[in-house]
């Protein structure tokens, strides 16, 4: 089942657990610590000062952005599957949900292991 669709910024296919993190100037380290290695980072947009935490992600899915946004560049640099510009990933996807990110096609699918 297709949950969200966006622009494929860096190809790959990975299954993992959604971690929704709103990256703002008020984001705390405690909030960022919930992102464990291999989790799917879902956010409005990534920020340069959270680079070390973003590197832990198994995939990145953002509401905003295009091929030259921070998330897309970081994903290509660190070989992380990435979908940008979904418009609604933070609203549709749920924290802790298991999904398949197919960033070659730009689609996030539900899994049967929810």
């Amino acid at each position: 089942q297709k949950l969200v669709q966006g622009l494929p910024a860096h190809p790959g296919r990975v299954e993992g657990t959604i971690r929704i993190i709103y990256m703002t100037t008020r984001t705390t380290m405690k909030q960022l610590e919930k992102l464990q290695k291999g989790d799917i980072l879902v956010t409005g947009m990534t920020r340069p000062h959270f680079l070390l935490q973003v590197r832990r992600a198994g995939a990145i899915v953002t509401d905003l952005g295009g091929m030259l946004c921070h998330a897309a560049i970081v994903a290509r640099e660190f070989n992380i599957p990435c979908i940008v510009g979904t418009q609604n990933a933070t609203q549709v996807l749920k924290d802790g949900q298991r999904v398949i990110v197919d960033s070659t096609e730009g689609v996030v699918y539900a899994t049967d292991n929810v």
Side-chain angles (χ1 to χ4, degrees), residues 34-101:
K34 75 177 185 176
L35 180 68
Q36 299 299 309
K37 187 162 179 63
D39 285 347
I40 310 302
L41 172 61
V42 177
T43 188
M45 182 177 276
T46 61
R47 308 268 186 241
H49 51 284
F50 299 124
L51 181 62
L52 295 176
Q53 290 76 24
V54 171
R55 287 183 68 177
R56 284 189 237 153
I60 303 168
V61 179
T62 68
D63 289 340
L64 305 172
M67 294 306 291
L68 295 176
C69 74
H70 181 259
I73 292 167
V74 167
R76 289 190 292 268
E77 191 170 319
F78 296 122
N79 198 30
I80 300 170
C82 182
I83 301 171
V84 298
T86 65
Q87 304 300 315
N88 62 355
T90 56
Q91 285 89 38
V92 173
L93 303 174
K94 306 293 182 223
D95 198 66
Q97 180 180 13
R98 296 281 302 173
V99 297
I100 296 170
V101 175

